[in-house]
Amino acid sequence: MLDATLTMKLRQIVGEKHFRDDKEARVAHSYDGTPMLQSLPDGVIYPGSTDEVSAIMKALSEYGVPVVSRGSGSNLCGGTVPVEGGVVMVMHRMNRLLEVDLENLTATVQPGMITAAFTAHVEALGLFYPPDPSSMKISTIGGNIAECSGGLRGLKYGTTKDYVIGLEAVLASGEVIRTGGKLMKDVAGYDLTKLLVGSEGTLAVITEATLKLVPPPASKKTMLAMFKDLYGAARTVSRIIEMRIIPATLEFMDNPTIRVVDDFAKLGLPLDMEAILLIEQDGDPETVERDIERIREICEAEKADRIDVAETREQAEKLLTARRSAFTALARLRPTTILEDATVPRSRIADMVLRINDIAQKYGVSIATFGHAGDGNLHPTATTDARDKEEIHRVEQAFEEIFEAAIELGGTITGEHGVGLVKAPFLEWKVGPAGIAVMRGIKQVFDPQNLLNPGKMFAKETRKRVVIDRG
């Protein structure tokens, strides 16, 4: 429970209706998109400006109260679960598009703006913001920045970090800093912009972002390549890149995913395929036609069983929507869906999928795999039931081995979902003790009282999945 004097101060800062400590508000912000994690905050606050965020942080710092800043809470790493109580700061009131600068091709936006709404706005102006996480219809720009979200277009266009060129952020002390700006070149000191992107709300509260925009591609073409041999699909991915072709989208679905997606989207996909590649190229029409034809030749050489090229944009959007709905389709199978994002070099995709299948069989659990083949970012997804404690334990054991396998194959424990609470026990596997020490030092400088999203990124112990039972 918060100190009564602090509660009064917080209400004075944001107004009576924008601070709540009733049970309804606390329960509603006790969890995020990650299954099986829940912890009650002591209060929920909805700031409307940077000045309010600054005043809130000064008050919380004075009383030593933790804060978890969040947008829609769609993350899948337990990144916004308030495991140490305190205050949840919801950024949805700060949701304005402040400026689109057509001369510098930048946009300045508040963190609470929904990603899809931002994308639609800039596209209406004839511009393009490439990051497209699957959650973009509900996730916020601030959440995307906190987690450094990727998406289907990451292979060609990069991820959120490649488009954030300036930030305004509030430190734990309440001080406001500005980093970067509308500059394509800026080497003045350490790159604090890049440091804050992907910091998961552990270093500062982001209150404004300047984003780079690019001209949209003139044309697009989308195709499906279906394989009865998993390695054929994997070799196709590697050969496309070897041939110096960088598709806008190069996505992978394994057989279990194909089955549930087809049942969900009614696409008439062949259910006897081991793998499907969804490939989209964009650019000037001549280049797109040439690349799609070369990709078709590679698919045929690797013995694709069937190749379909979308004839219309509507057909292409249907295929892309089907891939984006893979998580939703899998979630219909069982009460609990756990989606991870182990990432390997793309040359090891087939090996990783087979390792995942072997591990799933070893522990007797159901795991389907889909993901971004072009950048080796796979999403092994377990369908299970949180009420079955024994099965959940086996799922956790399976994912621990999957992370270990990813590291062994030269990969990482997370490609785009972030560390948060779920991956914290495995972070040292990737960065080593010295890397953890450097990261802890950075955290100490930004947040000496450990008030910003405590309990995330740094685990008390390694090799054990954390399951919180609080509140």
Side-chain angles (χ1 to χ4, degrees), residues 19-283:
F19 174 81
R20 294 177 60 180
D21 55 3
D22 57 280
K23 191 169 183 179
E24 181 184 5
R26 293 167 61 216
V27 170
H29 296 88
S30 64
Y31 57 90
D32 57 23
T34 320
M36 301 188 300
L37 296 176
Q38 187 171 20
S39 181
L40 282 176
D42 298 300
V44 183
I45 198 162
Y46 310 84
S49 68
T50 301
D51 287 344
E52 288 185 1
V53 174
S54 174
I56 292 165
M57 289 311 306
K58 287 176 181 174
L60 295 178
S61 178
E62 179 184 350
Y63 284 82
V65 173
V67 60
V68 177
S69 58
R70 60 170 277 175
S72 300
S74 55
N75 76 87
L76 297 168
C77 63
T80 52
V81 178
V83 289
E84 297 191 14
V87 171
V88 170
M89 186 186 296
V90 184
M91 307 305 288
H92 278 167
R93 287 180 65 211
M94 298 179 66
N95 61 0
R96 290 185 297 131
L97 177 57
L98 301 174
E99 179 194 43
V100 176
D101 184 336
L102 297 178
E103 292 185 347
N104 288 304
L105 293 187
T106 63
T108 303
V109 62
Q110 290 184 315
M113 187 167 193
I114 298 297
T115 309
F118 172 72
T119 299
H121 188 95
V122 298
E123 287 183 356
L125 297 174
L127 292 167
F128 186 37
Y129 177 69
D132 61 338
S134 296
S135 60
M136 63 190 298
K137 289 186 178 178
I138 57 168
S139 65
T140 62
I141 290 291
N144 293 172
I145 293 171
E147 302 295 338
C148 191
S149 299
L152 273 61
R153 297 190 281 242
L155 172 62
K156 183 172 185 175
Y157 290 101
T159 60
T160 299
K161 69 178 185 298
D162 299 302
Y163 295 88
V164 180
I165 56 175
L167 289 171
E168 177 190 79
V170 179
L171 302 177
S173 63
E175 294 174 279
V176 179
I177 62 169
R178 297 194 73 91
T179 72
K182 297 178 182 178
L183 306 167
M184 295 304 117
K185 288 184 175 179
D186 183 2
V187 292
Y190 295 131
D191 191 341
L192 297 181
T193 306
K194 291 290 187 284
L195 178 60
L196 292 178
V197 176
S199 63
E200 305 184 12
T202 62
L203 300 181
V205 179
I206 292 166
T207 51
E208 189 179 299
T210 300
L211 307 175
K212 180 176 72 175
L213 305 175
V214 297
S219 67
K220 299 178 183 177
K221 207 146 196 177
T222 306
M223 64 188 293
L224 276 184
M226 302 162 232
F227 297 82
K228 288 185 176 176
D229 173 23
L230 192 62
Y231 278 97
R235 284 193 304 269
T236 298
V237 172
S238 295
R239 285 209 58 207
I240 289 171
I241 307 300
E242 284 175 9
M243 296 298 289
R244 309 293 190 268
I245 304 170
I246 307 297
T249 295
L250 181 45
E251 297 289 304
F252 167 89
M253 292 189 289
D254 72 354
N255 180 271
T257 309
I258 294 167
R259 289 175 177 275
V260 296
V261 165
D262 187 68
D263 183 59
F264 179 75
K266 310 300 181 193
L267 291 172
L269 299 174
L271 303 182
D272 58 341
M273 297 295 158
E274 285 301 312
I276 282 181
L277 296 178
L278 170 65
I279 306 165
E280 182 170 275
Q281 181 60 303
D282 64 11

Side-chain angles (χ1 to χ4, degrees), residues 336-383:
T336 306
T337 308
I338 303 175
L339 183 150
E340 297 292 1
D341 72 329
T343 301
V344 294
R346 52 180 164 256
S347 60
R348 308 306 300 271
I349 285 176
D351 294 329
M352 187 64 198
V353 172
L354 292 176
R355 289 284 291 273
I356 292 169
N357 293 344
D358 289 344
I359 291 168
Q361 187 173 21
K362 173 182 175 182
Y363 288 100
V365 296
S366 176
I367 297 180
T369 301
F370 59 94
H372 316 298
D375 35 40
N377 184 195
L378 296 173
H379 294 310
T381 304
T383 52

Side-chain angles (χ1 to χ4, degrees), residues 317-427:
E317 287 300 326
K318 191 173 180 181
L319 297 177
L320 290 166
T321 300
R323 162 56 189 90
R324 291 184 196 282
S325 66
F327 177 73
T328 306
L330 285 163
R332 298 193 311 162
L333 299 181
R334 301 281 305 275
T336 306
T337 308
I338 303 175
L339 183 150
E340 297 292 1
D341 72 329
T343 301
V344 294
R346 52 180 164 256
S347 60
R348 308 306 300 271
I349 285 176
D351 294 329
M352 187 64 198
V353 172
L354 292 176
R355 289 284 291 273
I356 292 169
N357 293 344
D358 289 344
I359 291 168
Q361 187 173 21
K362 173 182 175 182
Y363 288 100
V365 296
S366 176
I367 297 180
T369 301
F370 59 94
H372 316 298
D375 35 40
N377 184 195
L378 296 173
H379 294 310
T381 304
T383 52
T384 181
D385 187 341
R387 296 167 295 185
D388 186 339
K389 301 299 182 188
E390 191 275 332
E391 182 175 289
I392 290 296
H393 179 63
R394 284 187 279 118
V395 169
E396 291 172 348
Q397 289 178 305
F399 274 124
E400 184 170 324
E401 280 203 21
I402 287 171
F403 297 146
E404 199 165 10
I407 297 285
E408 285 176 11
L409 294 173
T412 183
I413 57 173
T414 175
E416 60 182 358
H417 288 176
V419 176
L421 196 61
V422 172
K423 303 287 180 60
F426 306 99
L427 180 60

